[in-house]
Amino acid sequence: MTTPLIIEQVLNGLQFGVMLFLMAAGLTLIFGVMGLINLAHGSLYMVGAFAAAAVAGATGSFFLGLIAALAAAAFAGAVVEMVVIRRLYAAAHLDQVLATFALILIFSEGTRWLYGSFPLFLDIPDSLSGPVTLPGGIQYPLYRLTLIGIGLAVAIGLWALIEKTRIGVQIRAGENDREMIAALGVNISKLYTLIFALGAALAGLAGALVGAIQSVQVGMGEPVLILAFVVIVIGGIGSIRGAFIGALLVGLTDTLGGVFLPELFKLFMETGAAQKSGSAIASMGIYILMGLVLIWRPTGLFGARA
Amino acid sequence: MRVDERMINTVVIAGLLALPLYALAVDEPFTITLVTRAVILALAAVGLNIVLGIGGMVSFGHAVFFGIGGYAMGILAYHAQTFTVLDLGLFTTGGTKMMPVIWLVAMVVSAVVALLIGVLSLRTSGVYFIMITLAFGQMFFYFAISWAQYGGEDGVSIYVRNSFPGLNTLVPIQFFGVCFVLLCVVLFLVAQLQASPFGLALNGTRQSEARAQAVGLNPMRLKLLAFVISGAVTGLAGALFADLNRFVSPSMFSWQLSGELIVLIIIGGVGRLIGPVIGASVFVTLEHFLGGLTDFWHVYLGVILLCIVLFGRGGIIGLLTGQEGAHV
């Protein structure tokens, strides 16, 4: 284990974490304000990735692709909110789970219908490809570093939006008492559509950004969705700050666990067995983390006290 | 028109028995296999319905128990067919091909895991509970994928179906008979459970936890017991499902399967004794006919499901009896 390797893995963990944050922020916002559990959030991630791959493939511009991803995911989110989700706010959680599960089926198979089962590819733009040298002589891919930057910028932007703007005041008020702010003259259904579209756009952005380092395919959204659930369970549902801390914890645990646990096991096991059991335990690492947090605090790190 | 629920129960069970017998008469073994599949999925959903319908806990991770049942069968049969030793630390065994033993192991292991998951996840409720059960499901899924000894992502194939004393389980109708009898026994026991003091207390806890607590019940203990029983039943179904396919793979742990089990219950009617059986029959029928028409049949399933949630409360039984059924 050398220091450059450790720093590189920490950066990988951060990059994974901030991308999870983009997903988790939307989920937790939607739950906090509207009280809705949205399984179809992973589909919006997929929509963003496909829109980016299609537009970038047609125009050759990665940045147009990113804009397309934001627009397509926000549009899909707004339409879904107005057609389906709106009817579910007052419904039981079970109904929300089922209706959004149905939306996953429709989105996934619909996309398979349009694009087929083979993955699409989205290339990293030339201006962002290749490694950079960090202080200390460590080589690290520029694109991944950019992702960390974008993730942190979005986190700051979201914080400013919620704490400093008029819409942010309405969002925070909506979390506390939706009847009251409706009575005060805020158009609540427009606000809900806006929040849903905002969450969708963040998911779409994450899909497009991650799509460039992985492949763009049907079903790519659900594993990320479930990780985002783990994130907000750890952070506390409804808390953006919790989502941020939770996302970084999950990102770092998953990445560092996969690298260091097998090494750790090698200290007292033979190499082959250590590799096997180390990676098996590492694959469960974030769930063990979640279990521990729940034993300590059943409503998450920053959740409302029950 | 209002139909009596007991009549629906009788008709459904009779129909489930008559169809394979008819298929046997006209020599269509595939239909028998299809009905067997419906019976096994129904059994898994009956297990889930104990926590979901009676107890009001929306478990989105019941594939865990389905998968554990499957792997219990896969591991025991794998060691029996390769004549290798399964070392469990305290003792070793050569595996087994006997169904009753496999069922017992599947149910006991599922129950123990349900106890562990239950103790952790029942500390929470509502959306937390949904997400946590989903996450535990995913944990087992990834563990199964990285479990190289039993095929990892590829799973384990069992060449010959396991045996039951006095029967030839390779004959489709005989294996169907085994599954059907098990389903009936479990349905009978669940009906008893629903009417027992435990079932009534659990039902009361679903409706109002505070009131249940006020009359001296312990909601946590009731829910945990329900979760354990439910896990054992779904585990049994998993062992049968693996035997039907003679194959287990991590896909038995997948979150889609957990979702589909909930869907089965919703189609039939939440909290109804026979609801999961109707749901499973409808699901397998749709899967067979729509799946034959188009590869993208899940789109239609999604639309149907959306319509049931938005417009048709109470599922098929709710539609027939005019009563909405349990609120979860």
Side-chain angles (χ1 to χ4, degrees), chain A residues 6-72:
Chain A
I6 294 176
I7 293 178
E8 195 184 322
Q9 293 304 332
V10 169
L11 285 173
N12 281 344
L14 279 180
Q15 180 258 310
F16 185 36
V18 292
M19 289 299 114
L20 279 177
F21 170 70
L22 293 188
M23 280 292 281
L27 269 180
T28 204
L29 204 57
I30 289 166
F31 183 80
V33 180
M34 288 99 107
L36 178 99
I37 171 170
N38 180 24
L39 295 183
H41 212 65
S43 299
L44 298 165
Y45 176 89
M46 179 187 72
V47 165
F50 271 88
V55 170
T59 63
S61 162
F62 180 77
F63 300 100
L64 282 181
L66 276 192
I67 293 169
L70 280 167

Side-chain angles (χ1 to χ4, degrees), chain B residues 21 28 50 67 113 115 119 150 164 176 202 227 247 309:
Chain B
L21 290 178
E28 284 205 22
I50 297 173
V113 173
L115 184 70
V119 164
Y150 297 106
F164 190 89
F176 165 80
L202 184 64
F227 201 74
F247 174 63
V309 174

Side-chain angles (χ1 to χ4, degrees), chain B:
Chain B
M1 194 186 70
R2 297 280 177 267
V3 187
D4 183 43
E5 193 176 332
R6 263 174 307 181
M7 197 166 92
I8 302 177
N9 296 354
T10 317
V11 169
V12 169
I13 292 295
L16 215 50
L17 184 60
L19 186 59
L21 290 178
Y22 168 77
L24 183 69
V26 296
D27 195 26
E28 284 205 22
F30 181 66
T31 307
I32 302 177
T33 305
L34 218 53
V35 182
T36 312
R37 188 178 151 82
V39 165
I40 295 171
L41 286 176
L43 183 62
V46 166
L48 175 60
N49 205 18
I50 297 173
V51 291
L52 186 87
I54 312 178
M57 294 163 266
V58 183
S59 164
F60 209 129
H62 252 54
V64 167
F65 311 117
F66 201 65
I68 286 177
Y71 270 85
M73 171 277 181
I75 290 170
L76 288 174
Y78 170 80
H79 285 285
Q81 83 181 6
T82 55
F83 302 103
T84 47
V85 171
L86 173 58
D87 188 356
L88 290 171
L90 294 176
F91 61 98
T92 57
T93 162
T96 179
K97 298 282 286 176
M98 289 294 292
M99 278 189 188
V101 180
I102 290 172
W103 297 342
L104 188 70
V105 172
M107 290 176 74
V108 168
V109 178
S110 298
V112 171
V113 173
L115 184 70
L116 294 176
I117 292 182
V119 164
L120 272 180
S121 48
L122 286 171
R123 293 168 62 86
T124 65
S125 59
V127 188
Y128 275 99
F129 185 78
I130 298 174
M131 293 184 188
I132 289 160
T133 45
L134 183 59
F136 276 121
Q138 217 50 10
M139 172 174 134
F140 276 84
F141 177 72
Y142 285 118
F143 179 76
I145 281 185
S146 61
W147 205 4
Q149 196 186 352
Y150 297 106
E153 227 166 322
D154 300 326
V156 183
S157 283
I158 302 302
Y159 305 121
V160 181
R161 188 170 285 157
N162 295 307
S163 56
F164 190 89
L167 292 177
N168 178 3
T169 52
L170 286 171
V171 180
I173 193 75
Q174 298 204 12
F175 185 61
F176 165 80
V178 170
C179 298
F180 181 77
V181 168
L182 277 177
L183 176 67
C184 290
V185 168
V186 169
L187 280 175
F188 174 76
L189 291 176
V190 170
Q192 299 297 308
L193 183 137
Q194 234 170 337
S196 72
F198 166 71
L200 295 174
L202 184 64
N203 202 337
T205 305
R206 171 178 61 78
Q207 294 175 31
S208 168
E209 199 160 325
R211 268 186 227 169
Q213 212 157 14
V215 297
L217 299 170
N218 183 342
M220 174 72 186
R221 236 176 45 202
L222 289 168
K223 285 164 140 187
L224 189 57
L225 183 56
F227 201 74
V228 170
I229 296 172
S230 162
V233 172
T234 304
L236 173 64
L240 291 173
F241 193 76
D243 239 334
L244 176 70
N245 300 324
R246 278 168 272 169
F247 174 63
V248 277
S249 76
S251 68
M252 283 184 77
F253 281 116
S254 73
W255 69 272
Q256 285 96 335
L257 198 112
S258 297
E260 277 169 12
L261 289 179
I262 301 183
V263 169
L264 302 184
I265 294 180
I266 301 302
I267 295 178
V270 179
R272 308 286 188 161
L273 181 63
I274 214 87
V277 184
I278 296 182
S281 312
V282 171
F283 185 84
V284 171
T285 312
L286 282 178
E287 183 181 50
H288 180 63
F289 287 103
L290 283 181
L293 288 178
T294 159
D295 282 344
F296 307 106
W297 77 280
H298 276 108
V299 173
Y300 299 104
L301 178 67
V303 173
I304 293 170
L305 189 58
L306 210 51
C307 290
I308 292 181
V309 174
L310 293 180
F311 309 113
R313 303 218 32 126
I316 292 176
I317 296 187
L319 218 60
L320 290 173
T321 59
Q323 295 161 352
E324 268 197 8
H327 284 273
V328 177

Side-chain angles (χ1 to χ4, degrees), chain A residues 140-180:
Chain A
Y140 195 73
L142 175 61
Y143 184 72
R144 284 177 183 267
L145 213 55
T146 314
L147 292 193
I148 298 178
I150 293 175
L152 293 178
V154 168
I156 294 169
L158 213 52
W159 172 80
L161 176 79
I162 289 174
E163 296 293 328
K164 304 285 177 198
T165 66
R166 189 171 174 79
I167 289 191
V169 173
Q170 293 178 352
I171 291 175
R172 277 181 289 145
E175 286 183 0
N176 288 325
D177 194 332
R178 57 182 108 170
E179 281 84 13
M180 195 63 207

